[in-house]
Amino acid sequence: MFMNFKRIRKCQCVQLVTTCFALSVLMIYWEQLDHHVVSHIKSYSYRYLVNSYNFINASFGISRLDEESLNNVPYLINHHNKCNSKKLLLLLFIKTSPENLDQRQAIRSTWGNESYTERELGASVRVLFALGVHPDVQQRERLQHELLKEDHLYMDLIQQDFMDTFHNLTLKLLLQFRWSHDYCSQARFLMSADDDVFVHMPNLVSYLQGLAQLGVRDLWVGHVHRGSPPVRQKGSKYHVPYELYQWPSYPDYTAGGGYVVSGDVAEKIYQATLFLNASLYIDDVFMGICASAMGVYPQEHVYFSGEVKAPHHPCIYREMITSHGHNTDVRYLWKAATDPQVHNISSGLMGKLYCTAVKVLILCRPHRFSTYSCMAAFS
Ligand SMILES: *[C@@H]1O[C@H](CO)[C@@H](O)[C@H](O)[C@H]1NC(C)=O
Ligand SMILES: *[C@@H]1O[C@H](CO)[C@@H](O)[C@H](O)[C@H]1NC(C)=O
Ligand SMILES: *[C@@H]1O[C@H](CO)[C@@H](O)[C@H](O)[C@H]1NC(C)=O
Ligand SMILES: *[C@@H]1O[C@H](CO)[C@@H](O)[C@H](O)[C@H]1NC(C)=O
Ligand SMILES: *[C@@H]1O[C@H](CO)[C@@H](O)[C@H](O)[C@H]1NC(C)=O
């Protein structure tokens, strides 16, 4: 009897210690667990509310006066005749920063080459770089001088007088939609891309030409983030305090690295920027707020990339639209991905079967993170 009692006590004691240990581990890791798991579950279940109701719209409203001061950032470099009232398939804005000359040069000589697109793909596209001024006063003057020289050569910079910083990205978003509204409203589509993104222009153009033939409207396409929660961890680059955004979920939006809207949507987004408070500095999220205020929702395209680079393979090149994170290999990828051989490898029934098998192997392996989902293997 006595022995038994002692055993029970010991047993309970072990249980108690184990529970305490588990609880303290949970407490220590709670913030991370909350960040990675709990807040995602909460926000995903909440997203239907955020996407369908009007309360975000109401709480982001601003007065006419404030809106005018926001929307009147002066241009330092502008080319208002760039679109020249021509019929354009695409107006392509690349978000860049004053110091990123190398990236701009790589883009100009590869996927951003307007005359290549005109001549080889038969599509009229305008490519412009959107930027602000360098935040460091000491470097600003020198860089500004170089930017003017660069622009004199290429005439493709659109610069406004705001500090070009991460937390001012929403100002860059406003620049693009305002410019498009003022000077290029006839463009059939508007694309916004980062300067470290690779765009497979031949694939993009043929996709957009197909859509234009169908007379598509209300289009917003890219790599969609559904029901993403705001990051509440203080140290994070994407940290958003409750005062700025109080709900557990963002409206659906496309990754800012590269997305496309049809001309009518571009105009709607511009209209939304006139009555919404643009203090939320994550530009792609703010775009989602604008769109949901206008009743526009994003759709997924499996070959628009999320965070990282596309896998290298001709079967992928055949279909990719964007790939993210290219600082040094744009020229190499452009050469490889637009090689005429790429089309041959996937032509015919055997080619198609071969490519499906290859894509399944590349994209559907468990534990292997890829920028394109497994679904892309079957599209
Ligand atoms: C926009 O929202 C921020 C944060 O909620 C607020 O501080 C600011 O005053 C608002 N701006 C306007 C113009 O209403
Ligand atoms: C752009 O393409 C055209 C025609 O394909 C070519 O002649 C020109 O050199 C290219 N421009 C750059 C900057 O590479
Ligand atoms: C954004 O740009 C404005 C105008 O140049 C500047 O006053 C402000 O400090 C910048 N904000 C950030 C967060 O860099
Ligand atoms: C949001 O507010 C604007 C202006 O007040 C209004 O035109 C628009 O229809 C509203 N959006 C929704 C989804 O109700
Ligand atoms: C691609 O295939 C076609 C016939 O299907 C052939 O005429 C052409 O030479 C091939 N191109 C290359 C670069 O192999």
Side-chain angles (χ1 to χ4, degrees), residues 133 161-168 171:
V133 298
D161 193 5
F162 61 83
M163 273 194 228
D164 202 309
T165 57
F166 176 76
H167 287 96
N168 263 343
L171 290 181

Side-chain angles (χ1 to χ4, degrees), residues 301-305 316 319-322 359 363 372 376-377 379:
H301 185 303
V302 284
Y303 281 104
F304 276 75
S305 76
I316 301 282
E319 314 207 43
M320 70 190 289
I321 305 273
T322 69
K359 286 187 288 179
L363 304 175
Y372 306 134
S379 68

Side-chain angles (χ1 to χ4, degrees), residues 62 66 243-244 277 279:
I62 53 169
D66 292 325
E243 304 85 70
L244 224 48
N277 181 338
S279 59

Side-chain angles (χ1 to χ4, degrees), residues 11 34 74-75 125 127 162 178 215 261 298 328 332 343:
C11 214
D34 180 44
Y75 289 104
V125 171
V127 180
F162 61 83
R178 177 180 159 201
V261 295
T328 52
Y332 161 77
H343 275 261

Side-chain angles (χ1 to χ4, degrees), residues 105 108-110 113-116 119-120 154:
Q105 290 295 45
R108 285 180 181 121
S109 61
T110 56
N113 183 340
E114 284 173 6
S115 34
Y116 171 90
R119 216 180 296 169
E120 304 289 323
Y154 301 103

